[in-house]
């Protein structure tokens, strides 16, 4: 079941962006100053939408899917817009 659009939160999307940038859940957790379980939980929540697999979980670490790679560009624009509003 896909989460409603209003259930998406910037905090969850920010976690996704951190994992994409840092290359692992644990490194993202460190940068965000949260527990790795929090990162895992937030990514899992985003993946509840049908077909929304964001990472292939490999022994070497998470590998972004095409969907996650495509979202990265958009999330970076959203982040820039949020920072512009706050500046």
């Amino acid at each position: 079941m896909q989460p409603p659009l209003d259930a998406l939160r910037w905090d969850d999307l920010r976690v996704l962006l951190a994992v994409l940038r840092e290359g692992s859940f644990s490194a993202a957790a460190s940068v965000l100053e949260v527990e790795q379980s929090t990162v895992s939980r937030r990514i899992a929540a985003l993946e509840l939408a049908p077909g929304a697999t964001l990472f292939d979980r490999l022994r070497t670490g998470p590998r972004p899917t095409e969907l996650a790679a495509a979202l990265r560009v958009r999330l970076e624009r959203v982040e820039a817009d949020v920072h512009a509003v706050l500046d």
Side-chain angles (χ1 to χ4, degrees):
M1 176 179 229
Q2 184 171 345
L5 188 57
D6 61 350
L8 290 175
R9 297 183 181 174
W10 171 243
D11 282 343
D12 294 337
L13 297 173
R14 195 173 131 248
V15 167
L16 172 57
L17 186 55
V19 175
L20 290 167
R21 286 178 173 156
E22 301 303 320
S24 74
F25 288 17
S26 57
S30 178
V31 166
L32 296 169
E33 299 180 345
V34 298
E35 298 293 323
Q36 191 233 339
S37 60
T38 300
V39 171
S40 295
R41 205 172 39 251
R42 290 190 176 204
I43 295 297
L46 288 171
E47 291 182 320
L48 287 176
T53 302
L54 298 169
F55 296 95
D56 294 320
R57 274 84 167 164
L58 307 173
R59 281 185 281 140
T60 56
R63 183 179 63 202
T65 62
E66 287 183 32
L67 173 61
L71 286 173
R72 181 177 181 161
V73 173
R74 291 180 178 191
L75 291 174
E76 287 176 337
R77 281 195 309 248
V78 169
E79 180 185 54
D81 289 344
V82 168
H83 286 288
V85 167
L86 297 175
D87 286 343

